[in-house]
Amino acid sequence: MTLLGVQEPRLSLIPDGDTARGDQAVEFARWCGLTLYPWQEDLLRDMCRTDAKGRWAAREVVTVVARQNGKGEVLVARELAGIYLFEEKTILHTAHFMDTAIDAQSRLWEVIESNPDLLYWWEDEGLGIPHKGKTNGKENITFPNDATVLFRTRTAKTGRGLSVDTLILDECFDLPNEIFAALGKLIRARESAQIIFISSPVNRSEHAHGAVFSAKRWAAIDGAKRTLFKEWSPAEGDDPFLQETWARCNPSLVDEGPGAQLVDIESDAESAKNSEVLRKVFMVETLAAGDWYPRDNDRSDFVPVLPLDRWAAGAVERDVAVGEAVLAVEVSADGEDIAMVVAGRTTRGIHVQLVDEMAGFTVADVVGKIVRLRDQLRGDGFGLAAVVLDRDWHGNVLAPELMLVNIEPVLATGANVASAYAVTRQAVRDGTLTHDVSGSWGQELQLATLRDEGKKFECIDRYSGRVPALVAMTLAVWGLGRYAAESELGARKAVEEAPVNPRGTLPRFKTKQDWKGGVSRAA
């Protein structure tokens, strides 16, 4: 085996500090049986530097490296050192997906279980051995000295009530603002605590919630205090199809053995040469050339698809009852996420509500949720006037299944989609459109751009990123004007009686459940 990867990062910020604890952590990782590459040992060593007061020199760690380079092994070593050497009592390891969290638990437990010295560390004190726990998605490893490593997926409720010594945000390329706001408080009460952001880079066209990780990276590049930063990525002008570039971007690049496999990168590079789509994936996933969210002051040329001040003024904090409703369903450009939005009339104009978002859905899931929503509206004495789908997108996939349950959807043409955007934009400008306070609205408005075909079919470009909720909203508003009865207003509450956000900027959105009944939003 030959290690081909360049061990030094292209970008770095390393705070001053004593490396004694770091050296100890590296030595301990070797003793535990971990075989780390030099870059992994250096990262571990720098994570464990201490300042003059004995605190971690880096309260925040920001690491960017391409996939399959061994980020998880560094985290295992950091967790072992934290529990066994540094007397940390609570480590919270969070991940974007449950599979990632479970894998992290399995890796740590495998090292402990296979090393009798670790398994029986507290035997002389008569305290027993560590225990691997799994209860309803709450994976953990508990230790006889009352220390715990928790493994969780990230939600707004993750870690509620906890105060932790180390918080790990594994694969944080897609980290919603509201979730980070909740998690970030978990280390606030600890004088010597550490939060670790470690991930492959953000891809704006895929990661609707990449702004947090992007902001942390920009802050580190600007020299943020008490921050450790390392990034392996191509420099401007590097040829992405040269092996020397691959080596600079993949510190664990090897010709055989454990690490980023040279033969796989060669194969990916050949495919990327002939496909613009695969080239983008290759640049982000294999070379860590992130498509980062820009700094705020770098967005002078960004024009939002809706006027943000008027949109913010339409945010409604409480329930809004409407009459006959129209539901629109939209799928993200990569086919991975789906959004459902309803629109209904109020005395102020139109109210839109994000009723569901799903990832990894099936057609049966979507049809079932639509049927339950229809039945709920009927039970409330209203009705579902129409279900609107984009004919040229997933409409032809969903339509046959919906007709089997006696729902004949409206298939919007390209001209209809353009009209939908124009009608929605005007309603926002006029102040006659109100909306719930789902966090997805704010995220997507910061991402969406327009598709402009000679001004003939101007509409929201679904390929500008994960923006299915915005596209579905425009279709629901358009469908309401075409298919819902003007007189069917039902027993509603006037929207003007509900509090609205008076500020001229986007509010701090939070997730809220409305119109649900049997329809549940995916976590």
Side-chain angles (χ1 to χ4, degrees):
M1 182 194 81
T2 303
L3 178 60
L4 305 172
V6 175
Q7 301 302 287
E8 293 297 321
R10 182 177 71 87
L11 300 174
S12 66
L13 173 68
I14 302 174
D16 293 333
D18 188 343
T19 63
R21 277 194 177 185
D23 293 334
Q24 187 180 11
V26 168
E27 183 180 355
F28 186 67
R30 295 172 182 171
W31 180 82
C32 291
L34 295 176
T35 303
L36 302 181
Y37 290 127
W39 77 269
Q40 295 169 312
E41 290 192 344
D42 289 342
L43 178 57
L44 176 62
R45 182 180 291 107
D46 290 331
M47 282 181 178
C48 299
R49 287 174 180 256
T50 54
D51 64 13
K53 296 183 178 180
R55 305 172 301 183
W56 299 128
R59 192 168 179 87
E60 292 193 352
V61 176
V62 180
T63 304
V64 183
V65 66
R67 296 181 63 187
Q68 302 303 319
N69 272 274
K71 297 182 292 293
E73 296 304 306
V74 179
L75 297 178
V76 167
R78 174 64 181 83
E79 289 162 350
L80 288 171
I83 296 296
Y84 284 89
L85 300 183
F86 305 141
E87 298 183 348
E88 293 181 329
K89 290 300 183 183
T90 307
I91 296 175
L92 176 59
H93 186 136
T94 72
H96 183 54
F97 298 112
M98 192 65 227
D99 287 349
T100 307
I102 292 174
D103 181 64
Q105 182 200 33
S106 297
R107 288 187 183 195
L108 179 58
W109 181 249
E110 183 180 356
V111 175
I112 294 170
E113 188 178 38
S114 63
N115 189 322
D117 289 317
L118 295 177
L119 193 63
Y120 298 101
W121 185 273
W122 292 273
E123 186 178 35
D124 293 344
E125 303 169 43
L127 296 179
I129 64 174
H131 173 73
K132 179 183 178 183
K134 179 180 180 181
T135 309
N136 298 324
K138 295 183 178 181
E139 277 70 16
N140 63 79
I141 298 175
T142 57
F143 297 85
N145 64 340
D146 295 328
T148 306
V149 183
L150 305 169
F151 301 87
R152 301 286 189 274
T153 50
R154 289 188 285 269
T155 72
K157 296 181 180 180
T158 300
R160 179 170 291 181
L162 286 178
S163 182
V164 305
D165 297 296
T166 298
L167 171 63
I168 297 171
L169 301 174
D170 192 3
E171 292 295 8
C172 54
F173 52 74
D174 210 9
L175 175 61
N177 294 340
E178 60 267 30
I179 292 178
F180 172 65
L183 287 173
K185 296 181 176 66
L186 302 184
I187 68 167
R188 189 161 296 171
R190 303 292 175 92
E191 182 181 3
S192 184
Q194 192 171 73
I195 180 170
I196 299 172
F197 301 84
I198 188 165
S199 181
S200 52
V202 168
N203 180 357
R204 276 194 296 166
S205 63
E206 297 290 334
H207 306 146
H209 305 296
V212 171
F213 193 36
S214 296
K216 291 297 179 182
R217 175 180 181 268
W218 291 124
I221 289 175
D222 291 342
K225 295 180 179 179
R226 296 193 67 183
T227 297
L228 169 63
F229 171 54
K230 294 191 177 187
E231 175 178 308
W232 285 262
S233 60
E236 186 175 353
D238 282 353
D239 187 336
F241 300 113
L242 291 180
Q243 182 175 318
E244 60 190 63
T245 300
W246 308 341
R248 283 196 292 271
C249 303
N250 290 271
S252 297
L253 181 66
V254 293
D255 55 3
E256 61 180 14
Q261 301 298 310
L262 175 62
V263 64
D264 286 343
I265 295 180
E266 288 175 333
S267 177
D268 289 345
E270 287 300 317
S271 300
K273 289 178 180 178
N274 302 303
S275 168
E276 184 178 348
V277 173
L278 292 180
R279 180 186 173 98
K280 177 66 175 293
V281 173
F282 177 72
M283 293 297 294
V284 174
E285 300 290 349
T286 303
L287 301 187
D291 183 10
W292 300 96
Y293 283 73
R295 307 167 190 261
D296 287 345
N297 57 7
D298 288 344
R299 301 199 62 168
S300 57
D301 60 341
F302 177 75
V303 179
V305 296
L306 297 173
L308 299 185
D309 56 343
R310 300 303 301 162
W311 174 265
V316 179
E317 296 279 353
R318 56 186 264 191
D319 293 355
V320 175
V322 299
E324 194 173 35
V326 167
L327 171 69
V329 181
E330 171 68 9
V331 180
S332 61
D334 61 2
E336 293 294 328
D337 297 335
I338 196 165
M340 299 182 183
V341 176
V342 292
R345 289 195 180 89
T346 67
T347 55
R348 181 168 170 175
I350 298 170
H351 185 72
V352 293
Q353 182 84 32
L354 179 61
V355 295
D356 213 331
E357 294 175 286
M358 288 186 288
F361 65 92
T362 67
V363 171
D365 292 334
V366 177
V367 172
K369 288 177 182 293
I370 293 173
V371 169
R372 289 193 291 273
L373 178 62
R374 177 195 62 185
D375 295 344
Q376 179 196 343
L377 289 170
R378 286 176 176 175
D380 291 340
F382 306 131
L384 184 61
V387 175
V388 182
L389 309 171
D390 188 329
R391 184 189 68 181
D392 298 326
W393 195 230
H394 279 68
N396 289 323
V397 175
L398 294 171
E401 299 301 319
L402 286 171
M403 286 189 281
L404 290 177
V405 292
N406 298 317
I407 296 177
E408 184 173 356
V410 174
L411 299 180
T413 65
N416 297 149
V417 173
S419 296
Y421 168 64
V423 170
T424 304
R425 179 177 58 186
Q426 193 60 49
V428 174
R429 288 174 174 171
D430 293 345
T432 57
L433 186 142
T434 58
H435 56 87
D436 68 317
V437 290
S438 167
S440 293
W441 299 129
Q443 294 286 345
E444 294 191 11
L445 279 169
Q446 297 294 335
L447 185 65
T449 59
L450 292 179
R451 185 183 72 204
D452 181 5
E453 299 178 4
K455 299 295 184 182
K456 185 178 180 181
F457 292 113
E458 187 178 63
C459 60
I460 296 173
D461 184 1
R462 61 167 53 91
Y463 294 99
S464 59
R466 292 184 183 272
V467 292
L470 285 180
V471 176
M473 176 187 67
T474 66
L475 293 175
V477 171
W478 171 80
L480 188 71
R482 292 284 295 270
Y483 299 100
E486 290 281 353
S487 59
E488 187 65 42
L489 297 180
R492 64 182 184 276
K493 304 170 188 174
V495 173
E496 51 261 41
E497 295 177 1
V500 299
N501 190 294
R503 296 181 293 169
T505 58
L506 281 173
R508 187 176 191 83
F509 290 99
K510 63 175 182 289
T511 301
K512 185 178 179 183
Q513 294 197 2
D514 294 305
W515 289 87
K516 288 299 188 73
V519 182
S520 62
R521 178 179 301 176

